[in-house]
Amino acid sequence: MNVSLEVLINSAKAGKLISFPTDTVPALASLPAQAELIYTAKQRSLDKPLILMAAKAEDLWDYVKGNKTEYQIWQEVVSQYWPGALTLVLPASEKIPQVMNPTDPTTIGIRVPNHPIAQNILAQTGPMATTSVNLSGQPALENRAEIEVNFPDVLTLEAIEYKGLGIPSTVAKWTGNDWQILRQGVIKIDN
């Protein structure tokens, strides 16, 4: 359903499922506490975690936990690649609702997209639980028309081009002393 930016943001704050463009593929998003809506809409298995997306790195640090050295390493990577198509999987703080990663609530994927509309929305809603817009196991939907057909109850932005790179973000997991690449995207990080 096509709505204005104001309606989309207010609906997101009220706990509704929304979609918005990012630098990679369009995001399906909800408040973190409402993440079960994403699993239901996508028919997604609970063993596939969601990503916590925000407008800037500072909005995400309370959701992860590490020691001073780890934070310095993470900040170096973030300074180099964010905003951008890189998701970091880090140890989760107690602020993360278990529904974000039901089978391993000790970690959380975090990302700051390099897209002005996504950043504008996230700056007003706060961090959101996100994933690509598609039925689980299917290719990511890349435009608003496809999203409207497949997810008619999800709110989309009217008159906005949704197409990003079409390639999901690189996913790098912190192992305690370096990075394990879980999914290679456009960004290649040094281990």
Side-chain angles (χ1 to χ4, degrees):
M1 179 185 322
N2 277 320
V3 297
S4 69
L5 181 62
E6 181 182 3
V7 169
L8 186 95
I9 289 167
N10 289 335
S11 297
K13 289 178 180 179
K16 301 260 195 264
L17 263 181
I18 65 167
S19 178
F20 54 83
T22 76
D23 48 339
T24 55
V25 295
L28 182 63
S30 73
L31 293 173
Q34 304 294 122
E36 70 276 355
L37 295 173
I38 294 174
Y39 285 100
T40 301
K42 286 182 59 115
Q43 301 168 19
R44 184 179 177 102
S45 168
L46 292 176
D47 65 353
K48 295 182 178 181
L50 302 176
I51 294 169
L52 189 66
M53 195 178 283
K56 57 188 189 303
E58 295 76 23
D59 295 340
L60 293 167
W61 292 131
D62 285 348
Y63 294 91
V64 299
K65 64 180 179 186
N67 61 44
K68 186 176 179 181
T69 303
E70 288 176 319
Y71 273 105
Q72 288 172 334
I73 293 168
W74 302 341
Q75 186 61 55
E76 286 175 22
V77 171
V78 163
S79 296
Q80 187 173 354
Y81 298 107
W82 279 1
L86 176 65
T87 298
L88 299 179
V89 179
L90 303 176
S93 79
E94 57 285 341
K95 283 189 76 169
I96 295 291
Q98 184 169 346
V99 70
M100 291 277 303
N101 190 353
T103 59
D104 183 12
T106 64
T107 64
I108 186 64
I110 60 173
R111 181 161 106 81
V112 174
N114 188 14
H115 195 287
I117 294 169
Q119 288 183 357
N120 181 14
I121 291 166
L122 293 163
Q124 296 181 64
T125 62
M128 300 279 289
T130 65
T131 187
S132 57
V133 188
N134 56 296
L135 289 175
S136 193
Q138 300 296 313
L141 302 178
E142 295 188 30
N143 61 58
R144 194 177 60 244
E146 291 176 342
I147 295 167
E148 289 172 11
V149 167
N150 290 278
F151 294 90
D153 296 333
V154 171
L155 301 177
T156 56
L157 282 172
E158 59 191 2
I160 297 293
E161 177 57 49
Y162 265 55
K163 192 151 177 66
L165 291 173
I167 301 168
S169 65
T170 297
V171 178
K173 181 177 184 178
W174 180 247
T175 65
N177 55 15
D178 87 24
W179 299 102
Q180 173 189 7
I181 304 303
L182 302 180
R183 178 178 70 203
Q184 186 62 63
V186 176
I187 292 178
K188 296 183 176 19
I189 67 169
D190 300 323
N191 280 348

